[in-house]
Amino acid sequence: MALEVVHEFTGPMPTGVSVSHGGRIFVNFPRWGDEVPATVVELREGREVPFPDQRWNSPSSDDDANAFVSVQSVVVDPADRLWVLDTGSPLFRPTRPGGPKLVCVDLSTDTVERVITFPPDVALETTYLNDVRFDLRRGDAGVAYITDSAGSGPNGIIVVDLAGGESWRRLHDHPSTKAVPLEVFRPVVEGAPLLERPADGEPKPVSMGADGIAITADGTRLVYCPLASRHWYSVPTQALLDRSLPDDEVGEQVVDEGDKGGGSDGLETDDAGRLYLTDYEHDAVLRRLPDGTFETVAHDPRLLWPDTMSVAEGYLYVTANQLHRQANYQGGQDRRRKPYHLFRVPIDAGPVRLR
């Protein structure tokens, strides 16, 4: 399937993308060192417009609960609301209460209708909120599941009850949420081993844990993967939601879904029960069919670090941001070459509707 260029980015590097039911496209740019005029934008007629406005993109501090600090992911839920996942961690700094948050924007009015912050025992100082998925069929108002991909602290899954905003950690530092050592997984991107290579000091393995996340179409299992692993895992959503269940018993229900053929950043699902995965080692997007077989959705040399996907109205959208060419992986030299890209490719299934 041929990739179509939706947008070229000539400023900061994007990570997340999400497309509304009406075709509106939202993108975010985490504050990792680039100059970021707005950490969340809407693409309008080829322009990157701060969303919902510039004020929300102008934080006063890293713990500003009323502005976006450094956004890693944006996701449109089944009710066509945009949720903004704010790490509260520019340059991967330690978090402070008020910074890490989940913000809901009403797309009918383009106004913030809700802010959910996390207590310090849920969003730890080391926490890096990475990606989020929603199931509105659970509880009174639905639930959200968030990956904590911290590179220097415990990893895990954060569960949010959207009715009251209460949140809790699950699979706290479980092996399935952790980066695996080099003797188990040695990623190769553009023909070179992927390592953290500071300007000064010895190279070291990539340490980011639970990153990509998806909910199966029937809502019964959560699928996730560490950034530094070729394996992906699933766990019953009911186990994550049952707060009476000890966390070690939740961990006993985790299933290793096997080797998916490459390292993945993003995961996604569709309503046909297919699971999509980016493959940053092979410039590709794959999908696993319900019968367990894999097929290629896109393979293109321009897919340099396919990051985040969004399934919308017969298309799969994916950002490609050359993450591996950043200075911290290249001995202090920034080898990224603009523009970065948002692509889309047609698929034969519509978006997931979790109701």
Side-chain angles (χ1 to χ4, degrees):
M1 302 181 191
L3 287 175
E4 174 189 346
V5 176
V6 176
H7 187 77
E8 294 185 334
F9 301 92
T10 58
M13 60 179 285
T15 54
V17 61
S18 196
V19 182
S20 77
H21 301 173
R24 299 173 67 181
I25 302 173
F26 303 93
V27 178
N28 69 268
F29 311 88
R31 291 187 164 102
W32 287 346
D34 291 337
E35 181 180 350
V36 178
T39 191
V40 179
V41 303
E42 181 179 2
L43 301 184
R44 299 178 187 166
E45 298 179 343
R47 296 180 300 122
E48 299 164 18
V49 179
F51 189 83
D53 53 38
Q54 187 58 57
R55 187 195 70 77
W56 266 95
N57 283 277
S58 303
S60 61
S61 63
D62 287 3
D63 57 357
D64 189 342
N66 297 303
F68 304 143
V69 177
S70 179
V71 172
Q72 178 66 25
S73 184
V74 288
V75 175
V76 174
D77 75 4
D80 208 28
R81 301 171 296 188
L82 180 73
W83 291 86
V84 176
L85 186 63
D86 189 351
T87 67
S89 179
L91 297 171
F92 300 97
R93 290 196 290 260
T95 67
R96 302 202 301 263
K101 55 188 171 288
L102 191 57
V103 179
C104 182
V105 184
D106 182 343
L107 293 182
S108 66
T109 61
D110 290 349
T111 57
V112 171
E113 67 174 27
R114 191 161 184 211
V115 177
I116 299 174
T117 58
F118 302 99
D121 62 340
V122 173
L124 315 175
E125 284 191 356
T126 57
T127 286
Y128 193 83
L129 303 177
N130 197 297
D131 208 350
V132 59
R133 293 293 180 268
F134 298 88
D135 189 341
L136 303 187
R137 297 167 294 188
R138 298 281 189 166
D140 293 335
V143 296
Y145 305 96
I146 302 170
T147 47
D148 179 353
S149 65
S152 58
N155 301 113
I157 305 294
I158 294 171
V159 184
V160 186
D161 180 350
L162 298 178
E166 189 177 8
S167 58
W168 57 94
R169 294 183 69 89
R170 280 308 205 181
L171 299 177
H172 179 75
D173 231 24
H174 188 270
S176 67
T177 69
K178 306 294 293 180
V180 297
L182 281 178
E183 54 266 29
V184 177
F185 173 57
R186 188 176 296 272
V188 175
V189 186
E190 287 198 280
L194 178 68
L195 296 166
E196 295 183 14
R197 302 177 188 271
D200 301 309
E202 294 296 317
K204 59 182 182 179
V206 175
S207 57
M208 301 293 278
D211 188 324
I213 187 171
I215 306 171
T216 57
D218 63 7
T220 61
R221 302 193 72 82
L222 188 77
V223 183
Y224 58 95
C225 64
L227 184 69
S229 176
R230 290 194 185 103
H231 280 241
W232 51 349
Y233 303 86
S234 71
V235 64
T237 50
Q238 185 56 44
L240 300 173
L241 297 170
D242 183 358
R243 300 194 65 183
S244 69
L245 196 65
D247 202 41
D248 58 351
E249 293 186 21
V250 178
E252 291 171 0
Q253 299 185 52
V254 170
V255 172
D256 185 339
E257 297 287 345
D259 188 327
K260 52 189 167 51
S264 298
D265 196 323
L267 300 179
E268 187 56 284
T269 52
D270 67 24
D271 59 2
R274 299 175 297 190
L275 285 161
Y276 296 78
L277 52 137
T278 62
D279 185 343
Y280 60 73
E281 292 188 90
H282 302 107
D283 310 332
V285 174
L286 308 177
R287 65 184 172 195
R288 190 182 73 181
L289 306 183
D291 66 4
T293 60
F294 285 73
E295 60 186 18
T296 301
V297 175
H299 177 227
D300 192 298
R302 296 173 296 170
L303 271 176
L304 288 172
W305 200 279
D307 192 315
T308 302
M309 297 173 290
S310 178
V311 172
E313 305 305 332
Y315 285 91
L316 182 133
Y317 292 75
V318 58
T319 54
N321 59 19
Q322 304 174 43
L323 181 149
H324 62 290
R325 291 179 172 179
Q326 291 179 101
N328 54 311
Y329 301 108
Q330 301 292 335
Q333 297 185 46
D334 186 355
R335 300 186 183 277
R336 297 173 298 171
R337 283 179 267 171
K338 299 176 184 178
Y340 314 113
H341 288 94
L342 172 63
F343 297 107
R344 73 177 186 177
V345 61
I347 57 173
D348 56 359
V352 177
R353 294 286 187 256
L354 299 179
R355 300 194 187 280

